[in-house]
Amino acid sequence: HRLPIRVTDDHGAAFPDATVLVTTGDPLPYGALSDAGGIARFDRLGASPWTVKASARGYESVTRSGVTNDLTIELRRLGSLEVRVEMPNGSPAVGATVLIGGSALWPARRTETDKSGATRIAGLLAGSYDLRATLGELVSPTLYAMQLARGEHQTVTLRLGAGRMVRALVTDGDEDGAPVVPNADVVLAESGLSTFPLRGRTGADGTVTLGPIGSGPATLAALNVPTLG
């Protein structure tokens, strides 16, 4: 069976050198690159239906199932962010951890800034993103709901400030002298609901220290699952 796959960009133009994979009943897919006209040709396929996947660096991968005839696939360009992190005095924050998450990215991803205090986050779908940076006990205010359009590149600056460390004690009950609970899972979330919750486990003394977090309210939750057996 023959199957030509036409690949275009999001403006309808031919997309050369896209990787196209076709899966049939055989566990190994058939692969080809699209030519200058955006066509990937397959000449020796098993019977349909087929599953077709097209991908290219910097573009959203697309998969189509139940394919029985010629097909056109549109690849949409992905967005990117350059995140610059500054120390409280405005100098570059080298080796800071940058967290990003949101409606189009879960769970959150993390990366580190280079010697210029910057990092580039690529391969992002259009959507709403939250960003935060930390370095030791320094933390930036969380940037909420930053909108990124399809294929857009933006530059964002986060300024670090003094953070708070929270020490939690987990006990078996609220009464005075209640026994401590070791190995309890503890979650700390800023503002009660956070894209970047902090997690830890209590030690033998029933305590764990989490942070840094910024100013404002936060919520603690603890869970201890008994061991069976």
Side-chain angles (χ1 to χ4, degrees):
H1 295 271
R2 293 184 176 182
L3 178 66
I5 303 296
R6 181 171 182 261
V7 184
T8 69
D9 62 19
D10 44 10
H11 298 292
F15 198 120
D17 296 324
T19 299
V20 181
L21 301 176
V22 177
T23 304
T24 64
D26 191 315
L28 295 177
Y30 294 80
L33 293 176
S34 57
D35 60 22
I39 305 297
R41 305 180 188 278
F42 298 87
D43 298 324
R44 304 175 67 179
L45 296 176
S48 63
W50 305 294
T51 297
V52 179
K53 179 180 179 180
S55 59
R57 184 180 179 86
Y59 288 78
E60 180 182 358
S61 297
V62 176
T63 300
R64 297 283 185 265
S65 301
V67 176
T68 58
N69 296 300
D70 301 358
L71 179 67
T72 296
I73 293 180
E74 176 187 299
L75 294 183
R76 299 183 297 175
R77 183 179 291 276
L78 295 170
S80 61
L81 287 173
E82 180 177 352
V83 183
R84 298 183 178 276
V85 183
E86 298 178 347
M87 299 293 287
N89 63 3
S91 63
V94 179
T97 297
V98 176
L99 297 168
I100 179 172
S103 61
L105 181 61
W106 186 259
R109 285 167 52 184
R110 67 174 56 215
T111 183
E112 287 191 357
T113 57
D114 59 20
K115 61 183 179 181
S116 69
T119 185
R120 186 174 185 273
I121 304 172
L124 298 175
L125 298 171
S128 175
Y129 294 93
D130 298 341
L131 289 155
R132 188 177 72 170
T134 61
L135 180 60
E137 295 190 5
L138 300 176
V139 61
S140 73
T142 300
L143 176 62
Y144 289 106
M146 192 214 69
Q147 298 298 317
L148 188 69
R150 185 171 67 182
E152 183 181 14
H153 174 77
Q154 289 193 38
T155 299
V156 177
T157 299
L158 302 175
R159 176 70 68 92
L160 297 173
R164 297 180 296 159
M165 305 300 293
V166 177
R167 181 177 180 270
L169 170 65
V170 181
T171 61
D172 186 7
D174 295 329
E175 66 276 6
D176 292 339
V180 300
V181 180
N183 297 317
D185 292 316
V186 180
V187 177
L188 174 64
E190 294 180 273
S191 302
L193 182 64
S194 173
T195 308
F196 314 114
L198 300 174
R199 296 179 174 86
R201 179 165 291 183
T202 57
D205 62 352
T207 69
V208 62
T209 300
L210 299 172
I213 62 172
S215 60
T219 299
L220 270 174
L223 173 67
N224 184 46
V225 180
T227 302
L228 301 179

